[in-house]
Amino acid sequence: MFDRVQITFLAGLMVLLIIVLELVRRRKFREEYSLLWIVTVVVLLILSVWKGSLKLIASALGILYPPSALFVVGSMFILAILLHFSVVISSFKTKNQELAQRLAILNLRLEKLEEKMSGETGSNSGKVGRK
Amino acid sequence: MQKIVALIPAYNEQEAIGEVVNDVRAYMPEADIVVINDGSADHTVERAKASGAFVLDLPYNLGIGGAVQTGYLFADEMGYDIAIRFDGDGQHDPAEAHKLLEPIKNGQADVVIGSRYLKTGNGYKSSFIRFLGIKLFGVITSCIVHRKISDVTSGFQAVNRRVIEFYSRDYPSDYPEIETIPLLHRAGLCTLEVPVSMKERLAGNTSITPIRSVYYVAKVLLSLFMGLMRKRTITNNTN
């Protein structure tokens, strides 16, 4: 019933799915970022099991050899994943910068506050400062 | 009395920073001096503190835009009325700071930029690549704002309260001076150039190498055009 190329795809995709789910289970991979991976694997699984769907896509795209259509669809999903991660990284960079800036400002304000406090408490100044 | 803050971004400027801070204080005793240490690996922080400046110490290198913006965020938070920027390497002469501050104080402009290419400035020598870049971006930004801007890369700037708030909301990352000109123009803020002379660097090396300059030209061009295509309102990046 399944030919060799189907079995190859099936096995590979199952391994990938298990790895992704296992990473999520171990909290090494957050659910929100794993979702696109899971959708990708599931779509590719459906296409490799259900030959008719793959033939339909192949003929629609003008691809002679149906399994090649699997690569096309797979590449599109991988591009989507990469794009998604680029956006996520950019947003991290922005947030990261804001944190660093806030940290620098708060540090300076704290330093000045500590100086002022130790000035006011006079003889106790030694105890107010950093340990 | 308007509260003035001098912002000095510094990255590995231990040789120059003390002198820069002292120079600024000599000419602007009324101003608070804030050195923004952009993750230096040397003794920039210690030298700046020893010379009596406030130090905003960034935990790692953010690049010039992120560092300068930290200064504006601080100025915004602490309620300063005017912020003036000096480079940490001593290129900008505090003796000329009054030229930038006067038009801000009497409400002539929101931003005053010290230009080394306006007539009366001295003959500033810069490398050919830098000169080309400045010319290219000068032409582009001048077209965008429909006005001749002679020195688009000058970081020697004084700004008023409105611009402090504007910059703390949104400030570009690399060569921010170029990108801010169209942004200011579109926000309806008034920029003015005054001639200044720039000194040779006291110490340290310029960060510009040929490969980097290609990257920066491409990046700044992209940022400029993207900036034009964005909506007028500058939104905060936090979401």
Side-chain angles (χ1 to χ4, degrees):
Chain A
M1 44 178 267
F2 288 145
D3 53 34
R4 258 222 316 253
V5 70
Q6 274 183 305
I7 290 166
T8 312
F9 276 124
L10 263 176
L13 288 168
M14 287 309 290
V15 168
L16 185 58
L17 186 61
I18 289 165
I19 291 174
V20 170
L21 291 177
E22 182 58 20
L23 284 172
V24 175
R25 197 185 64 83
R26 290 190 196 171
R27 297 185 193 284
K28 300 232 162 137
F29 196 177
R30 294 181 66 98
E31 286 85 347
E32 60 264 41
Y33 302 128
S34 68
L35 218 56
L36 200 48
W37 278 99
I38 294 170
V39 171
T40 304
V41 175
V42 169
V43 168
L44 293 182
L45 268 177
I46 292 170
L47 289 179
S48 50
V49 173
W50 180 18
K51 272 187 172 175
S53 66
L54 198 59
K55 276 186 184 143
L56 207 73
I57 290 173
S59 70
L61 296 176
I63 296 165
L64 296 177
Y65 178 58
S68 304
L70 207 54
F71 286 106
V72 173
V73 175
S75 311
M76 271 163 23
F77 272 99
I78 288 168
L79 279 181
I81 290 171
L82 286 177
L83 205 59
H84 176 227
F85 285 152
S86 299
V87 172
V88 170
I89 290 169
S90 293
S91 123
F92 282 167
K93 184 164 180 186
T94 306
K95 289 174 186 170
N96 205 303
Q97 172 164 325
E98 280 168 10
L99 275 181
Q101 291 176 326
R102 283 245 52 85
L103 179 72
I105 292 171
L106 288 177
N107 257 339
L108 174 57
R109 296 186 66 172
L110 177 67
E111 213 173 277
K112 294 297 146 195
L113 189 67
E114 278 180 344
E115 268 171 31
K116 210 172 138 195
M117 298 264 292
S118 62
E120 275 168 13
T121 45
S123 60
N124 276 337
S125 61
K127 292 172 188 169
V128 183
R130 249 181 269 170
K131 279 182 189 169
Chain B
M1 187 64 198
Q2 289 178 305
K3 273 174 79 185
I4 302 176
V5 62
L7 304 175
I8 309 173
Y11 177 57
N12 292 340
E13 298 286 5
Q14 62 176 6
E15 308 303 332
I17 195 70
E19 198 179 321
V20 172
V21 171
N22 289 331
D23 273 2
V24 171
R25 188 179 304 106
Y27 287 99
M28 300 172 58
E30 76 283 15
D32 286 336
I33 301 171
V34 177
V35 170
I36 304 120
N37 171 49
D38 194 10
S40 299
D42 63 0
H43 298 292
T44 301
V45 172
E46 290 84 345
R47 300 280 162 86
K49 279 186 180 162
S51 60
F54 289 163
V55 178
L56 286 168
D57 191 10
L58 290 164
Y60 38 81
N61 185 269
L62 292 184
I64 183 69
V68 171
Q69 192 187 31
T70 312
Y72 289 120
L73 283 164
F74 179 75
D76 181 30
E77 209 170 299
M78 304 309 282
Y80 286 98
D81 302 296
I82 298 174
I84 179 164
R85 216 186 109 187
F86 297 92
D87 270 4
D89 60 9
Q91 270 194 82
H92 304 148
D93 189 354
E96 296 189 292
H98 65 277
K99 292 188 192 169
L100 276 70
L101 291 171
E102 283 315 314
I104 299 280
K105 283 181 181 164
N106 56 39
Q108 243 180 295
D110 297 303
V111 183
V112 182
I113 303 169
S115 165
R116 71 207 105 169
Y117 299 118
L118 278 184
K119 271 176 230 148
T120 45
N122 71 344
Y124 177 83
K125 286 256 163 56
S126 56
S127 74
F128 182 65
I129 288 179
R130 189 183 173 89
F131 177 76
L132 257 186
I134 290 174
K135 276 282 158 220
L136 171 70
F137 287 117
V139 170
I140 294 170
T141 45
S142 298
C143 282
I144 294 171
V145 303
H146 309 296
R147 197 158 57 82
K148 175 104 180 94
I149 305 284
S150 66
D151 192 354
V152 286
T153 58
S154 170
F156 196 16
Q157 302 190 350
V159 306
N160 67 10
R161 179 76 205 164
R162 280 178 74 193
V163 180
I164 290 175
E165 288 168 10
F166 180 76
Y167 279 170
S168 46
R169 280 196 305 274
D170 189 36
Y171 199 71
S173 56
D174 304 306
Y175 283 101
E177 299 81 17
I178 301 173
E179 290 174 45
T180 49
I181 290 169
L183 292 177
L184 291 165
H185 172 75
R186 283 179 5 138
L189 295 159
C190 174
T191 50
L192 178 76
E193 279 192 306
V194 295
V196 295
S197 48
M198 289 201 192
K199 293 194 277 191
E200 294 296 314
R201 302 170 61 86
L202 285 177
N205 298 309
T206 174
S207 56
I208 300 160
T209 63
I211 295 169
R212 272 198 207 165
S213 36
V214 171
Y215 161 75
Y216 282 132
V217 167
K219 203 229 141 215
V220 173
L221 274 178
L222 180 66
S223 304
L224 271 177
F225 289 113
M226 285 294 138
L228 281 178
M229 290 164 79
R230 280 185 195 122
K231 292 237 171 72
R232 251 161 208 287
T233 43
I234 309 300
T235 51
N236 204 333
N237 268 327
T238 44
N239 39 26

